[in-house]
Amino acid sequence: MSGLAVVTAARRYRALIASPGVARVALPSLIGRLPYGMATLVFILAVQHGTGSYAVAGIATGAHSAITAFTAPWLGRLCDRGHAVTVLRITGVVYAVLLTGMVAALWAGWPVGMIIGLAALAGAANPPVGAVTRVVLPGLAPQHVQTAYAFDAITVELTYVVGPMLIALVTAVSNPYAAVVLTALLAMAGSLGLAAAPGLTARYREVRTAALAAAAVSEEARARLTGALMKLSLVVVLVVGALEAAAYGVMEVAIPKYAADLNAPQFAGAVVAAWSAGSIVGGIWFAGMNPKLTQPKLFALLLCLNTVGFGAMLLAFDLPSLAVILFLGGLVISPTTAVECELVTRIAPAGRTTEAFTWVGTGIYVGFAAGSSISGLLINEGTPLSTIILTATALVGLGALLATAASRRIARDATRLPTEPALTAAAH
């Protein structure tokens, strides 16, 4: 990373945070997203602690994730229709109540079916903090859109570093039930805090009003406002994201098994964390860059680099070498996410961006679950680690091929109407 890029990135991040309304969105967003990095682990720990069964814990975790993937687009559509504040307030409270209720049910020894049911209901009320943030944040800092998306990607990575650390700390001091309650409180605080951000309501009103006004005078604008959400270019971006998530799912199951085979299972978390650390550094670096490529071509290039990063894991010969490779490979994760977010914003019909982002989340949930399942099956069959790595690499490589093949179509659809206030500040 060049010194100039670091200086430029620091200056841009400082300008982003100083933009009116940004801090009021960024802080509650970080708090509300911490449960994203805590949910899977905390469900496994708490449900297993209460029922004594990892099978039940896995089913409860899967039910929570599956229902979240199913209901998130519906919640996103409600947000786009002007109800973002109400959605955040209601889901934040209901999610916290249901998670706390699950803890009470575990403590009281309720039937397994009730535990799984509460986990599923909680998934249905999972607050769409990330999707709302990705709609609002860039509009609050119109001169720093790339930085805003890079900052958003870094925030996501931080949740997967800080979240598990909080779980480990609380569980060590108390028990897994306390970690669930903490997860509930963070989700509620972040969701309510984001709902109270001054720029949120104005931002959604701005985009919708301008889109309707443009549609009244322009056929192109009318088509963009009323057109199908799942046009081919957006489907490609969503499928690419799902394939990436599947590859991560494959390796996040395989790496702990690899660590256990080396008689060092306690270091598996630190090795995986090196991935997120590399991504954070990459996000900082990306904010200081001025790419000359178009967004679709940059997206395809970053995916190719990500494929190389996965393939490089074949060179690992112990945990430290794997951690170094993961750190280096992680450098392109946040930049890829940032570019993907900008493409989704540009491709989605006006007034339906939140829903589009929730579909991105659905693809990630489904992809990660599929990848984890594939990895588990391969490990149970005694498949060598090299084959598992090649499987993950093939998934990312397929995504890179799709993005490259569809780059022209994506470029054609990834256009923003001049009258659409997608980059207009709405802090007050």
Side-chain angles (χ1 to χ4, degrees):
M1 182 186 301
S2 69
L4 179 59
V6 173
V7 172
T8 303
R11 185 174 67 250
R12 290 177 178 174
Y13 278 117
R14 185 167 57 250
L16 172 68
I17 299 299
S19 299
V22 167
R24 289 291 303 274
V25 169
L27 181 58
S29 176
L30 174 59
I31 294 171
R33 285 162 138 177
L34 282 172
Y36 293 4
M38 302 167 69
T40 298
L41 181 58
V42 81
F43 266 87
I44 292 292
L45 292 175
V47 176
Q48 192 280 330
H49 181 75
T51 66
S53 170
Y54 277 104
V56 174
I59 293 172
T61 304
H64 178 270
S65 297
I67 299 300
T68 294
F70 179 77
T71 60
W74 179 71
L75 294 175
R77 185 176 301 177
L78 287 176
C79 290
D80 283 330
R81 291 180 177 177
H83 307 296
V85 170
T86 302
V87 168
L88 288 170
R89 286 173 176 171
I90 292 176
T91 56
V93 173
V94 172
Y95 189 71
V97 169
L98 288 170
L99 285 188
T100 305
M102 188 187 73
V103 168
L106 286 166
W107 180 77
W110 284 17
V112 166
M114 297 293 291
I115 305 300
I116 295 173
L118 285 169
L121 286 174
N126 207 340
V129 172
V132 171
T133 301
R134 286 172 173 172
V135 172
V136 175
L137 191 62
L140 296 176
Q143 296 82 19
H144 307 287
V145 175
Q146 177 178 305
T147 307
Y149 283 126
F151 179 82
D152 177 83
I154 290 172
T155 299
V156 173
E157 293 300 332
L158 280 173
T159 66
Y160 289 98
V161 174
V162 178
M165 290 173 58
L166 288 174
I167 292 174
L169 177 62
V170 172
T171 303
V173 173
S174 182
N175 57 56
Y177 294 164
V180 176
V181 173
L182 174 62
T183 303
L185 291 174
L186 288 171
M188 183 171 67
S191 190
L192 295 179
L194 183 58
L200 191 142
T201 301
R203 170 66 181 149
Y204 274 98
R205 187 186 302 120
E206 235 186 16
V207 172
R208 190 67 180 173
T209 300
L212 289 170
V217 298
S218 166
E219 287 294 332
E220 181 185 0
R222 190 177 300 113
R224 184 171 170 87
L225 179 64
T226 60
L229 175 63
M230 288 302 171
K231 58 186 71 174
L232 179 61
S233 53
L234 184 57
V235 170
V236 169
V237 174
L238 298 185
V239 170
V240 168
L243 288 169
E244 276 196 289
Y248 294 125
V250 168
M251 293 312 303
E252 289 199 21
V253 173
I255 290 172
K257 176 62 168 59
Y258 178 58
D261 289 345
L262 295 177
N263 296 316
Q266 68 273 21
F267 294 113
V271 172
V272 174
W275 229 350
S276 292
S279 181
I280 291 170
V281 173
I284 295 172
W285 163 77
F286 186 67
M289 300 299 292
N290 297 299
K292 303 300 182 183
L293 293 175
T294 63
Q295 294 295 302
K297 289 182 179 179
L298 182 59
F299 186 51
L301 174 60
L302 288 168
L303 286 167
C304 290
L305 293 175
N306 203 13
T307 305
V308 173
F310 270 84
M313 294 182 206
L314 291 168
L315 302 176
F317 52 86
D318 57 14
L319 286 179
S321 63
L322 179 59
V324 171
I325 292 170
L326 289 176
F327 177 85
L328 294 174
L331 292 173
V332 298
I333 295 177
S334 283
T336 305
T337 302
V339 175
E340 180 183 7
C341 288
E342 186 164 354
L343 288 175
V344 171
T345 300
R346 291 176 177 271
I347 294 170
R352 298 186 69 180
T353 312
T354 313
E355 183 184 354
F357 277 124
T358 55
W359 276 110
V360 172
T362 294
I364 290 172
Y365 274 114
V366 173
F368 191 88
S372 300
S373 300
I374 291 171
S375 188
L377 291 172
L378 291 174
I379 289 172
N380 284 338
E381 292 296 322
T383 306
L385 179 64
S386 59
T387 302
I388 296 175
I389 292 173
L390 287 173
T391 301
T393 304
L395 289 169
V396 181
L398 179 58
L401 286 174
L402 284 174
T404 302
S407 59
R408 289 188 178 182
R409 180 63 178 264
I410 294 172
R412 190 189 72 184
D413 291 342
T415 56
R416 182 181 287 117
L417 295 172
T419 52
E420 184 179 331
L423 307 181
T424 302
H428 303 292

